[in-house]
Amino acid sequence: MTFFGLPLHPLVVHAAVVLLPLAALGTLLIVVSARARKRYGSLVVLGAFVAAGSVLAARVTGEALNGGTQTGTGILATHVTWGLLAPWPAGALAVTSLLFVLAGRGKNRPLLITTGLLAVVSALASLVVIVVVGHAGATAVWGSVA
């Protein structure tokens, strides 16, 4: 997959590594602040879904760049393995942030707490996965990255 002769994967991953951490941090913000949830909740949910889409696009273009194989050696194997995993916490972040914002509109406090905890877990998991896969990918391309 190319875009004007350039491999599409390096272009798409930039969206994923920017949008997913922003969505995760936004989710953490709306969980801890009712005022932020009312003001930015819908924007955070939209951002989380766009971020999940960009992570999925990065996975698809990465598989195409790798020749359709799901293997590699060394740091590339780490990047491929975590890249295959990355859409799951990103999708969970999108769904749990939506559920949390919807729960915040009602009066059911246990539901709000439960969805908030799930949103926090998926936000933290998303941050960890995107950092690991991004670092492994940068190291695979550029060598030792400080």
Side-chain angles (χ1 to χ4, degrees):
M1 301 177 119
T2 62
F3 181 73
F4 291 111
L6 297 171
L8 196 54
H9 182 66
L11 301 173
V12 172
V13 297
H14 286 89
V17 299
V18 170
L19 295 176
L20 190 59
L22 282 175
L25 293 173
T27 298
L28 294 173
L29 176 66
I30 65 171
V31 167
V32 299
S33 171
R35 184 175 182 192
R37 181 175 60 249
K38 290 177 185 170
R39 191 167 198 180
Y40 302 112
S42 298
L43 181 63
V44 169
V45 170
L46 177 63
F49 275 94
V50 171
S54 70
V55 171
L56 186 58
R59 177 182 168 173
V60 169
T61 59
E63 288 175 348
L65 182 64
N66 201 26
T69 63
Q70 295 180 353
T71 60
T73 58
I75 196 69
L76 182 60
T78 302
H79 178 67
V80 169
T81 301
W82 284 90
L84 292 171
L85 176 68
W88 294 103
L93 177 64
V95 171
T96 57
S97 65
L98 173 63
L99 293 175
F100 178 72
V101 168
L102 292 175
R105 295 180 179 167
K107 302 282 186 198
N108 190 338
R109 185 146 172 87
L111 181 62
L112 183 65
I113 291 170
T114 302
T115 56
L117 288 173
L118 290 172
V120 166
V121 169
S122 61
L124 295 175
S126 294
L127 286 170
V128 168
V129 169
I130 203 68
V131 166
V132 171
V133 73
H135 186 268
T139 303
V141 170
W142 299 104
S144 179
V145 178

